[in-house]
Amino acid sequence: MLPPAARLAARRLLGLASSSASEAAARRLAPSPIAASSCAAAARGSVPSSRPFSTALNYHIDSPENKPGMKWEFSEANMKKVKEILSHYPSNYKQSGIIPLLDLAQQQHGGWVPVAAMDAIAKIVEVAPIRVYEVATFYTMFNRTKVGKYHLLVCGTTPCMIRGSREIEDTLLEHLGVKRNEVTSDGLFSVGEMECMGCCVNAPMIAVADYSKGSEGYTYNYYEDLTPKRVVEIVEMLRRGETPPRGTQHPERKNCGPAGGNTTLHGEPKPPPCRDLDAC
Ligand code: FES
């Protein structure tokens, strides 16, 4: 019998209602100090249920649509891209192509990478499958469970957080009727979290990974200077198949300049004066 804290943590991790299922899941968790402290935090109720953990599960559970031994291969068009990608690396360092190949597999497979795709990549680059698994599980950009055709990634790092990213995420989750990392029942949307995407000057922001047109039409766009109202408008434009204007959503900002226009640097900067070295 597991301690109550471990059962509670497993239920929160997996969103499971059944205590027997959560106990089975908890037994799969390694009894590490980190897991123990997470369990303790969960038991204290100090982790709000809407923001339990920043990423999806970092271990694999077999399911009918995602287990080793399933057939998976790159499409004919993508096999040409695979060859092109591998041509960038020496033939004895094919494993350097693991990240771009995982990215291509994710685009082809509707936004996530099943174990069978990782195994196919391991064969192509001639390494043990664990070498691909360890890359796919390290980088949170690789989704190992299904995502929506539009995967909305909310930046949760400090500048975006103090500019309202939590309100943006809460609005998205409420509007779409999902929890983080869940997919809407029509398969169109999912909401995840990312760390700083380098756009803090226009915080808060989200990235939208669009898998609706396969790997050929894949796009990854930023939407910045968001408000709860604007992020809902963007979602509804995507639902209608429209392309919302990417970048800043602030009506008075151009790119990353100050809202309302420049306040300094109005003209060409003067070159520095030449120093008269002889005068010294
Ligand atoms: S903190 Fe959000 S983009 Fe940098």
Side-chain angles (χ1 to χ4, degrees), residues 155 157-160 196-200 203 205:
C155 174
T157 309
T158 314
C160 280
C196 179
M197 293 184 253
C199 213
C200 329
M205 58 84 65

Side-chain angles (χ1 to χ4, degrees), residues 199-248:
C199 213
C200 329
V201 68
N202 289 356
M205 58 84 65
I206 65 169
V208 177
D210 178 354
Y211 299 104
S212 64
K213 302 174 197 78
S215 49
E216 291 307 318
Y218 170 71
T219 58
Y220 187 85
N221 287 323
Y222 284 9
Y223 298 89
E224 304 145 16
D225 282 315
L226 289 173
T227 60
K229 179 170 176 281
R230 184 60 187 156
V231 82
V232 169
E233 288 169 359
I234 288 171
V235 165
E236 291 309 311
M237 288 172 90
L238 292 170
R239 195 194 298 281
R240 293 193 295 270
E242 297 169 14
T243 309
R246 61 192 176 184
T248 179

